[in-house]
Amino acid sequence: MKSQINLLNQLQELVLTRDEHHHTGDGSHMEALDASIGALVDKLEPQPKALYQRLYKKDHVVMAPMVNGCCAVCGMKLPISQVQQVRLAKTLQTCSSCGRIVYDEQEDAPRSVAEKPARGEPRKTGIGRFSAEELMVCELKAERPEDAVRELADQMAANKFVSNPAALTVAAMERESVLSTAMGEDLAFPHVRGVEGGGLTLALGVSKKGIAWDASTGETAHLVFFSVIPVAVSAFYLRLMAGLMEAFSKKENRDALLAAKTQGELWKAFMKATRYTIR
């Protein structure tokens, strides 16, 4: 059954990639994505296929990693006997609360390790809910997309926001191979889904000379927004990305980030540019 669980996870990633493209792309890759999704569905055995199709009608997130014995999407604590069944992966196990298919998270999977806000700490607003000054990189050294992602993943890890930056880089480039996250206007949005243990986290890197991001289209990226996303907030990520694209479709906002000389200046420019598009 492990092979079927792997197929289901690949299928979910493709579906969510298609959702992203539908909301923020030009639609040019929809046909190819639909074909890839159909091919994976055809590889499923009858019982997993029927369960997947039933769950998909309710929500495009049908797979939920098990984290600390809980469903990572709804937070339901699983019975000890079911936890063992999920780990053995001999049969498909579903969450009794949300109904999603629960699978065992890999031991070395990247995780969010950021400390949770202390009680009584002021509530963060805007982009501050997802990012921080420490996650700003004023001048990326990278000349390739993979190196840019690695720099930003290392920045997250160095400031104790995530674990295993090397695995994050590999996962981000695997996602990139499905469909480029370059979105025009010199923007790129590489990301990794399924990073559990905390909230959505975003790092921003600036390349003043630009990085050749997509050889097939000639897209270049000067601003790289790298995000790690818990499965439960996949739908919200679409809104966040739309807000970023709205803010940085304006040349003056892009220029403000490119002009920043320090981490503090970059953070202030980032907050100012997104104050009306991300709340």
Side-chain angles (χ1 to χ4, degrees):
M1 192 55 71
K2 286 185 179 179
S3 63
Q4 291 292 291
I5 291 171
N6 288 337
L7 275 176
L8 287 163
N9 274 317
Q10 292 173 42
L11 183 55
Q12 175 164 283
E13 185 59 35
L14 269 179
V15 167
L16 295 174
T17 297
R18 183 183 62 184
D19 289 347
E20 291 167 9
H21 186 56
H22 176 72
H23 280 83
T24 58
D26 59 7
S28 60
H29 297 278
M30 292 296 286
E31 188 174 333
L33 287 168
D34 284 337
S36 297
I37 289 167
L40 279 183
V41 170
D42 289 342
K43 290 182 180 180
L44 292 173
E45 295 172 1
Q47 188 254 343
K49 183 176 182 179
L51 178 56
Y52 169 80
Q53 290 175 330
R54 176 168 60 81
L55 293 171
Y56 178 82
K57 290 178 182 178
K58 296 190 293 184
D59 193 310
H60 288 184
V61 176
V62 303
M63 303 294 290
M66 180 180 71
V67 179
N68 298 326
C70 297
C71 168
V73 175
C74 73
M76 180 72 176
K77 183 77 173 175
L78 304 179
I80 294 175
S81 59
Q82 189 177 24
V83 169
Q84 184 63 16
Q85 291 302 312
V86 171
R87 287 175 178 157
L88 290 172
K90 292 183 177 179
T91 59
L92 290 182
Q93 298 291 314
T94 58
C95 173
S96 61
S97 175
C98 68
R100 292 178 173 87
I101 300 167
V102 186
Y103 65 94
D104 194 19
E105 185 183 46
Q106 295 179 357
E107 286 186 15
D108 61 347
R111 289 180 55 79
S112 172
V113 294
E115 292 184 6
K116 292 180 172 53
R119 184 173 294 182
E121 187 176 318
R123 184 176 180 275
K124 294 179 180 178
T125 59
I127 198 64
R129 294 161 58 198
F130 316 108
S131 192
E133 184 174 332
E134 310 93 273
L135 298 180
M136 303 292 103
V137 179
C138 293
E139 183 56 66
L140 290 168
K141 300 179 180 67
E143 296 184 357
R144 303 182 305 156
E146 182 176 358
D147 297 330
V149 171
R150 184 179 293 110
E151 279 188 62
L152 293 171
D154 286 344
Q155 189 77 8
M156 284 185 173
N159 288 282
K160 300 188 179 351
F161 281 86
V162 297
S163 66
N164 204 338
L168 279 176
T169 303
V170 171
M173 297 317 295
E174 287 177 351
R175 162 62 184 82
E176 209 62 43
S177 69
V178 175
L179 183 65
S180 172
T181 59
M183 296 292 177
E185 304 290 0
D186 292 327
L187 311 176
F189 297 87
H191 55 274
V192 178
R193 210 181 322 272
V195 181
E196 308 300 333
L200 191 159
T201 305
L202 181 150
L204 166 63
V206 176
S207 172
K208 292 180 173 61
K209 65 179 180 180
I211 300 167
W213 202 269
D214 186 351
S216 65
T217 63
E219 293 273 15
T220 299
H222 286 274
L223 303 176
V224 182
F225 303 86
F226 176 55
S227 301
V228 296
I229 313 163
V231 171
V233 300
S234 294
F236 177 79
Y237 175 68
L238 295 178
R239 298 203 299 273
L240 175 62
M241 191 161 63
L244 291 170
M245 290 180 67
E246 181 183 350
F248 295 105
S249 64
K250 299 175 182 176
K251 186 176 184 301
E252 61 268 28
N253 287 338
R254 299 196 302 274
D255 288 346
L257 298 192
L258 289 166
K261 292 183 173 59
T262 67
Q263 198 174 49
E265 287 179 6
L266 182 57
W267 177 238
K268 287 179 182 177
F270 192 25
M271 288 194 295
K272 182 178 179 181
T274 57
R275 66 191 184 281
Y276 297 124
T277 63
I278 298 172
R279 300 179 182 276

